[in-house]
Amino acid sequence: MTAGVGDVGEAEQSGGVAVVDRVAKGVEVGVGLAVLAGGARLHRRQQEARWEAVRAQGLRYGLSQLDALHHSRFEEAVRDLMRRDGCRDATRVGGGGDLGADVKATDPYGRRWVIQCKHRRNGLAGSAVGTPDLQVLNGTARQVHGADVAVIVTNGRVTAPAIAFAKQQHLHVVDRHTLEVWASGSRPLWELLRAVPPPRKPTTLS
């Protein structure tokens, strides 16, 4: 007995529905797997962020460790110390064309920090940071980078004229002694410097 036209149409329709159903189920499975994978990646990133925060809170450096770093690693260490102090957006921007800014950061009080790093492989025995270094920072930190706090950080020496110039221009100098205290983790940098501008915004730390 041959199937009628109606029977063939119903079979084709039934087969089409089955195919669509299988495709829909496949899409649901694919979406489900994608959601699970996305959730796993998000969880992993959150876990990594938590571990990074724990690591940053316990970050400490000794002067001998800082002396032994390459100048780029020294900049990264300064960035990490700012992050430890609560500057979540601290970024290393040093390199060719940095225009006097090796590290930029915003502290929990809303102040914008621009930091120039001067690493000396031989520490105090290396060449001293002089007035020309401060002049570069003074010329770009506020005008170009919008700094509220302009800082030069060194593990070496700073000349007396450079220190005098910094005071005149309201720049901040982190010399070897101040760096040692800061890197030890006892206090955030803004508590170690004099005449830091007042907070830009009220916070729970105020």
Side-chain angles (χ1 to χ4, degrees):
M1 176 178 170
T2 59
V5 174
D7 294 331
V8 173
E10 289 177 2
E12 290 178 348
Q13 185 178 18
S14 176
V17 170
V19 170
V20 171
D21 186 54
R22 286 197 298 273
V23 170
K25 288 181 178 179
V27 170
E28 289 177 0
V29 170
V31 171
L33 291 174
V35 170
L36 288 174
R41 285 194 296 270
L42 177 60
H43 176 73
R44 185 165 59 253
R45 285 197 297 268
Q46 290 174 337
Q47 188 175 46
E48 289 172 353
R50 285 194 294 269
W51 277 111
E52 177 64 20
V54 170
R55 186 197 68 80
Q57 289 173 2
L59 185 64
R60 303 286 187 276
Y61 287 109
L63 284 178
S64 60
Q65 291 176 289
L66 295 172
D67 290 343
L69 295 176
H70 182 270
H71 70 84
S72 62
R73 295 296 186 185
F74 181 70
E75 293 168 2
E76 292 173 357
V78 170
R79 175 204 62 195
D80 291 345
L81 288 170
M82 293 299 288
R83 288 180 179 175
R84 181 200 67 188
D85 290 350
C87 304
R88 297 181 179 179
D89 66 345
T91 305
R92 174 183 174 258
V93 293
D98 62 20
L99 297 176
D102 292 318
V103 176
K104 293 181 181 181
T106 306
D107 70 24
Y109 301 97
R111 294 170 298 211
R112 186 67 172 161
W113 292 67
V114 172
I115 303 173
Q116 176 72 19
C117 301
K118 293 296 179 182
H119 182 261
R120 299 295 183 256
R121 183 76 178 184
N122 296 320
L124 290 175
S127 60
V129 174
T131 303
D133 298 309
L134 273 297
Q135 289 173 335
V136 172
L137 179 66
N138 189 51
T140 61
R142 301 184 183 93
Q143 295 91 329
V144 176
H145 302 294
D148 297 307
V149 190
V151 185
I152 196 161
V153 177
T154 183
N155 64 320
R157 298 176 293 119
V158 183
T159 66
I163 293 175
F165 179 82
K167 290 181 179 179
Q168 293 170 2
Q169 301 300 321
H170 305 290
L171 305 173
H172 297 273
V173 176
V174 176
D175 59 12
R176 187 174 178 85
H177 171 70
T178 306
L179 177 62
E180 180 179 25
V181 176
W182 180 37
S184 72
S186 58
R187 297 162 67 188
L189 185 56
W190 46 87
E191 291 185 5
L192 301 174
L193 302 178
R194 295 181 180 180
V196 173
R200 276 182 172 269
K201 63 181 182 181
T203 72
T204 56
L205 301 177
S206 302

